[in-house]
Amino acid sequence: QVQLAESGGGLVQAGGSLRLSCAASGSTFVIYYMGWYRQAPGKRRELVASFISGGNTNYADSVKGRFTISRDSAKNTVYLQMTTLKPEDTAVYFCNVKTMTSEYWGQGTQVTVSS
């Protein structure tokens, strides 16, 4: 079992920055994938950024150059540093982790970007 605790969402003006955090606990030794997704009302959940051990990262085209995913192994935490935020970034952001047998989702944290 893996538990995820998300934090860092909030209200920010366009052009501003936020950093999201997702701390994993439980059977963290079996995690091989961590990523961030977002979902706006009425829309499908989409991948924002992902990280896997070995240094590989993946970003949605819409956030490349603005968002950065990183992790702190000692704290079992993945971060999403968001800069130059745009109103279209407004969504609920979810942390996702995968093990060999299961995947887990955080509770979601709201990010609202005003114009």
Side-chain angles (χ1 to χ4, degrees), residues 13-29:
Q13 294 185 72
S17 301
L18 286 173
R19 189 178 75 161
L20 306 183
S21 299
C22 176
S25 60
S27 301
T28 58
F29 59 92

Side-chain angles (χ1 to χ4, degrees), residues 6 12 24 34 38 41 43 50 61 69 71 73 79 88 99 106 108 111:
E6 297 184 31
V12 65
M34 303 186 80
R38 67 186 181 188
K43 301 184 69 176
S50 61
D61 287 342
I69 188 170
R71 70 180 181 89
S73 297
Y79 304 94
E88 50 263 45
T99 68
V111 172

Side-chain angles (χ1 to χ4, degrees), residues 2 9 38 40-41 66-67 70 100 108 112:
V2 174
R38 67 186 181 188
R66 300 188 298 120
F67 292 9
S70 62
M100 285 295 183
T112 302

Side-chain angles (χ1 to χ4, degrees), residues 35-92:
W36 288 97
Y37 294 71
R38 67 186 181 188
Q39 187 170 22
K43 301 184 69 176
R44 296 180 64 86
R45 191 170 299 182
E46 64 175 350
L47 174 68
V48 176
S50 61
F51 180 89
I52 190 168
S53 60
N56 292 331
T57 58
N58 186 48
Y59 295 93
D61 287 342
S62 59
V63 307
K64 286 180 179 177
R66 300 188 298 120
F67 292 9
T68 302
I69 188 170
S70 62
R71 70 180 181 89
D72 184 332
S73 297
K75 297 181 178 180
N76 293 310
T77 300
V78 63
Y79 304 94
L80 185 68
Q81 179 66 53
M82 305 182 292
T83 64
T84 321
L85 283 161
K86 304 175 180 179
E88 50 263 45
D89 295 318
T90 295
V92 178

